[in-house]
Amino acid sequence: MEFTFYTANKIVFKQGALKELSEHIGNLGKKFLVVIDPFFAEGPAMTTLADQIKAVGAEYIVFSEICGEPTVDLVDEVSQLAIENKCDAVISLGGGSSIDIGKATAAIITNGGPSIDYLEVVGKGKKVVNEPVPFVSIPTTAGTGSEVTKNAVLGSKTQVFKRSMRDDKMVATIAVIDPELNLGCPKKVTATAGIDAMTHLIEAYTTFRATPISDALALRGIELAGKYLQRAYENGNDIEAREGMCAAALLGGMAFANSGLGAAHGFGMAVGIKYHLPHGEACGISLPHVVRLNAKACPEKMDKLGEALTGKRFVNPGEGTQAAIDFLFDLNKAIGIEPDYKYLNIPVEEVAEVALGSRGTSMTSNPVQLNDEELIAFAKEIM
């Protein structure tokens, strides 16, 4: 048994934690770059954040021009802004896009750009040699787990790719999870972020790269997501459900950052890029299909998965697996996620292209490895 485990240097999880941020950032920097979702930029969250930065005698500048998923061009723009203003620390408050922009920027401030040079597959193999400036991640959605991962997912609208800038040094200095920031999150965002978290947890648990630590984190997160995702979707002001999903997303991020993902993310990435689906939705659609695919490779884990999702005990082999598959299809229906990709009316001639395009870092960790012919056949079933 051999493994390494990385996560944020410090995690603060508490309702109202944003109001106490000054207790944790006093020695991080003298001038912060604040990367914040536009929705929060003019509201009480920004006011509270500004007051907390001022309370430690620091200055700040704000970047809030975020629309959609982060691109390499946007990260380069933000990094230049930070360097020109001599920012020596970064705080991101928002969804996964804001956090990934801030995470990448913190590394580029000390290592130089452009950001595309660092990306896996499409980049030039440039490494993050110097320690990034201190980075504080404050998520406002329960989904990506980016607050505790060591990579930033960046895309390009002109070159049509989505790849990771990844290094152990890129983990957050502090991750602050305040469930109150999730209250009132729109249903669609709750659903797509939440099913993304569920996919992280299940794939982290079933990948052949799983470790005892990732298993423990993922299994508890699966229990929480199974209990609270639909509740959070149905009542956005249910603070218990919001807290449960924040914990599930956090555990998912910690788990998959160390164990890898699987085919649901591989397919979700490929379909999402080509047909412009939200990342979580694209992954969530494929999730129950991939669970069924992987059942033969890890039957005992799949039965435990069914027990974690449903809270029931199963005696006969395979019963838990079927319960897990049924649970996920039912959950998707309840939160507005389609049962497959057929509603997109994907042309037959494009299925093979999408299937082969799903190969990548996520797919390499899947417990069932498919050759090209098997991969295309699987794609045809769900597309």
Side-chain angles (χ1 to χ4, degrees), residues 199-210:
T199 309
H200 291 156
L201 290 158
I202 291 174
E203 296 208 298
Y205 181 58
T206 55
T207 171
F208 64 77
R209 291 184 175 141

Side-chain angles (χ1 to χ4, degrees), residues 278-363:
H279 171 75
E281 180 180 0
C283 293
I285 290 173
S286 64
L287 179 60
H289 301 279
V290 170
V291 168
R292 180 185 286 130
L293 170 72
N294 289 333
K296 60 185 177 183
C298 46
E300 291 183 5
K301 275 198 167 185
M302 288 302 183
D303 278 341
K304 288 183 180 179
L305 171 61
E307 292 182 348
L309 286 170
T310 65
K312 300 176 182 178
R313 297 300 300 272
F314 299 99
V315 177
N316 299 316
E319 289 182 343
T321 301
Q322 189 58 51
I325 295 167
D326 292 342
F327 182 95
L328 292 170
F329 274 119
D330 290 343
L331 175 63
N332 277 352
K333 183 177 180 180
I335 63 174
I337 303 292
E338 296 285 342
D340 51 45
Y341 301 109
K342 296 185 186 300
Y343 76 102
L344 294 173
N345 296 313
I346 296 173
V348 175
E349 60 271 19
E350 293 183 8
V351 172
E353 176 190 348
V354 175
L356 298 178
S358 69
R359 293 202 183 281
T361 53
S362 295
M363 195 69 85

Side-chain angles (χ1 to χ4, degrees), residues 120-138:
E120 298 168 343
V121 182
V122 298
K124 295 183 178 179
K126 190 173 182 179
K127 302 298 183 183
V128 178
V129 177
N130 302 316
E131 284 290 334
V133 300
F135 172 60
V136 181
S137 59
I138 310 174

Side-chain angles (χ1 to χ4, degrees), residues 97-158:
S97 294
S98 294
I99 292 174
D100 279 358
I101 291 169
K103 190 186 304 182
T105 297
I108 290 174
I109 288 173
T110 56
N111 288 272
S115 57
I116 192 172
D117 288 355
Y118 298 88
L119 297 190
E120 298 168 343
V121 182
V122 298
K124 295 183 178 179
K126 190 173 182 179
K127 302 298 183 183
V128 178
V129 177
N130 302 316
E131 284 290 334
V133 300
F135 172 60
V136 181
S137 59
I138 310 174
T140 59
T141 60
T144 68
S146 184
E147 64 269 19
V148 287
T149 64
K150 54 189 176 184
N151 69 300
V153 181
L154 309 179
S156 171
K157 294 179 180 178
T158 55

Side-chain angles (χ1 to χ4, degrees), residues 3-85:
F3 58 88
T4 304
F5 187 87
Y6 288 92
T7 193
N9 294 328
K10 181 178 183 179
I11 297 171
V12 180
F13 190 107
K14 182 182 181 181
Q15 291 182 32
L18 183 63
K19 301 181 184 72
E20 302 173 359
L21 187 64
S22 61
E23 298 178 12
H24 309 288
I25 63 171
N27 62 344
L28 295 188
K30 296 181 179 179
K31 189 167 188 179
F32 288 86
L33 167 69
V34 174
V35 181
I36 187 168
D37 279 10
F39 178 83
F40 293 96
E42 302 297 331
M46 183 65 233
T47 300
T48 300
L49 180 56
D51 289 345
Q52 293 297 303
I53 295 172
K54 293 173 184 176
V56 299
E59 299 178 336
Y60 67 91
I61 63 170
V62 177
F63 183 88
S64 62
E65 298 172 25
I66 302 165
C67 182
E69 296 178 349
T71 64
V72 288
D73 290 338
L74 185 59
V75 167
D76 291 342
E77 177 186 345
V78 177
S79 300
Q80 187 61 35
L81 175 70
I83 292 169
E84 289 176 353
N85 284 273

